[in-house]
Amino acid sequence: MAAEDYEIDVRPEIMLMEQVLEPLMSGALRIPKFQRPFVWRPEQMLDLFDSIERGYPIGSLLIWETYEKLASLDRIGDLEVPEARPGLPVSYVLDGHQRLSTLFATLRRPVDAPRSTEQRDWMWWPYRVLGDADEGANRYRHWRSSNPPPANYLPVRSVLRTRDFLSYARDLARDASAEMDVDRLTSEGEVVAQRIKSYKLAVVRLVGGELKDAVEVFSRVNSTGQPMRPAQMVSALTYQAGGRESLADRLDGLLEQVADTGFGEVSADAVFRAVLAVTGEENVQEARWDVLARRVKDSVQEAVDDTEEALIRAVAFLRETVRVPLARLVPYDAQLMLLTTFFHGCPNPTPSQRHELTRWFWTTSWSGYFAGANSTQVKQDLIEMKKFARDGGKFSLIDERPRPFPDRFDLRSARVRAFIIWELAAFPQRLTVTGEQISAVDVLARGATSAYRHVVNKAGMAAASSPANRLIMPTPPRVSLKRALLNLPDSIRADVLASHGIPPLALQRLAVGNDEGFIETRRATLAEREAAFMANFGVYASPDAIGEADIDTT
């Protein structure tokens, strides 16, 4: 009977750990290729086992059982899995890839699997620390050293198989230090193993129907795991056996191409929505992905080709004209999507269009224009951007006002990101305490937000959170920024301060113990210079105003 001849059947089930992992070992349960790659951090893997041992829910797994053959991964985690047996139904994981990959590649790990100091090896070897008295803390650890772990480190791979657990118990008795109570540790290990083996996972099994029915169910269930990205939904729904690369594969390749330029990884969802816009879609934030997939099924692959060139042009515009050095600093995903749409419609803009596009970028960034933007607003912006690409003119931004200078440094705020973009361009070459010239962007690219260090560290002082209290300035080991600034040699002091936007008066106040005075003096200087930059685009701000750094980005 063909899949389309009957409706999909939804069957909630409760399964033990072995019952979930065994189909992965036999090839009867597979990860479809349209799923996102494994992206969990090592800490998330440890948290999963901590939750399991404590009996906490880890979210339901959603699988689809069908005779339809989908392209699927030949490795789960870093372990090879066999092909499905022909003629038998196969189950595909729609939700739960990250959790299942973690469980499978650790609990089913071969004893001779690679161990090294490389993350690709040690991340799959979690251990449960036996004898840890702190029951409130996560007692699972990774061992990153090339030396063997302590004897009381129970490898998670040993908990499901009795033979492997007994082998560990013998090693523990042989290698335990004098202060270790082997019997107590062994008993604790047995309890841990039993809790993991007896843990019950909630599984929602979808049987029959078509892929579009399965993904429609997925889009309606409340999932607590890593959600399937919109690109993956449409990739699944437009999938054709034996066809070209999936949409998700094409997008991943496009993202890597941009990252390789040194710009970093741009938002996958922003690029996906740009693809939809290039196909002619206007409701690019549509939640009904099954409906959307039917509309774009015949054009979405070709649109990726068109989007690729437009995205490269959009990134070049951001880097060279706006001077956004890194992808993570783009204030809003919608900006990248709309810029890509523009460069698809207008690959070679006039100087006046480039100036207006720059004004649009800065104004929407300073004003928080896309904070909480709904689908109706984004649709209207998309229409306006396409018109601008076609006809030129001006954007209707006359009512947009800049948010005040932010009260705290938080890169989840678009206003803070806009400030950082300006600040990096205004002070591109910083000087160290020895007068050595460094690139602020290079330091930021290596160290993310930790590159911006506090000058004043004082608990309870509200001003200490200000961006004016942050500098990109490496110092010798165990030398604070404050101490480094106060001990600058006379011969280079003025040049070092100027390279960081620090007025001499600010340093004078820091020297006499007026920490708040230092921060406020530098804030006023930075705010005044930023306001002057805003005025170049017809945007006017009060340098004296300070406002909350709204968290409005992901």
Side-chain angles (χ1 to χ4, degrees), residues 349-380:
T350 65
S352 62
Q353 282 179 306
R354 296 181 76 86
H355 177 79
E356 180 64 10
L357 209 56
T358 305
R359 185 179 76 88
W360 168 86
F361 175 87
W362 281 114
T363 303
T364 55
S365 300
W366 288 321
S367 66
Y369 179 83
F370 290 104
N374 56 35
S375 57
T376 301
Q377 178 186 333
V378 174
K379 178 180 178 180
Q380 185 58 45

Side-chain angles (χ1 to χ4, degrees), residues 242-262:
R244 292 181 291 175
E245 290 180 296
S246 72
L247 172 61
D249 289 336
R250 293 293 311 281
L251 288 182
D252 286 341
L254 212 168
L255 296 178
E256 289 178 8
Q257 182 180 348
V258 173
D260 287 344
T261 66

Side-chain angles (χ1 to χ4, degrees), residues 338-530:
L338 290 166
L339 285 171
T340 303
T341 305
F342 169 82
F343 280 100
H344 171 253
C346 183
N348 299 298
T350 65
S352 62
Q353 282 179 306
R354 296 181 76 86
H355 177 79
E356 180 64 10
L357 209 56
T358 305
R359 185 179 76 88
W360 168 86
F361 175 87
W362 281 114
T363 303
T364 55
S365 300
W366 288 321
S367 66
Y369 179 83
F370 290 104
N374 56 35
S375 57
T376 301
Q377 178 186 333
V378 174
K379 178 180 178 180
Q380 185 58 45
D381 291 328
L382 186 56
I383 293 172
E384 186 176 11
M385 185 61 76
K386 289 181 177 180
K387 182 179 185 300
F388 176 70
R390 185 177 62 251
D391 304 327
K394 296 281 187 180
F395 290 103
S396 54
L397 298 170
I398 55 175
D399 294 329
E400 298 303 319
R401 296 290 181 267
R403 291 172 172 175
F405 191 92
D407 64 343
R408 69 184 187 281
F409 184 93
D410 192 324
L411 281 181
R412 294 173 298 172
S413 166
R415 179 64 181 89
V416 172
R417 293 188 189 186
F419 166 77
I420 294 302
I421 295 169
W422 166 80
E423 189 246 16
L424 289 171
F427 308 98
Q429 298 295 331
R430 319 288 168 103
L431 298 181
T432 68
V433 293
T434 60
E436 178 187 359
Q437 194 173 76
I438 59 170
S439 166
V441 171
D442 290 346
V443 177
L444 181 61
R446 294 193 301 268
T449 56
S450 61
Y452 277 94
R453 300 169 57 197
H454 288 89
V455 176
V456 176
N457 274 306
K458 185 175 292 186
M461 189 174 76
S465 300
S466 172
N469 189 34
R470 298 272 193 148
L471 295 182
I472 294 181
M473 185 180 186
T475 60
R478 295 180 296 279
V479 175
S480 68
L481 268 180
K482 181 177 180 179
R483 178 182 166 192
L485 289 173
L486 293 176
N487 289 287
L488 285 172
D490 294 342
S491 59
I492 62 172
R493 181 181 299 118
D495 290 338
V496 172
L497 295 180
S499 76
H500 293 274
I502 302 173
L505 178 59
L507 186 65
Q508 293 172 22
R509 290 176 172 171
L510 189 67
V512 297
N514 186 356
D515 293 340
E516 290 192 0
F518 164 81
I519 296 171
E520 173 53 30
T521 303
R522 182 169 187 249
R523 185 210 63 79
T525 297
L526 294 174
E528 185 175 347
R529 292 188 60 168
E530 186 191 31

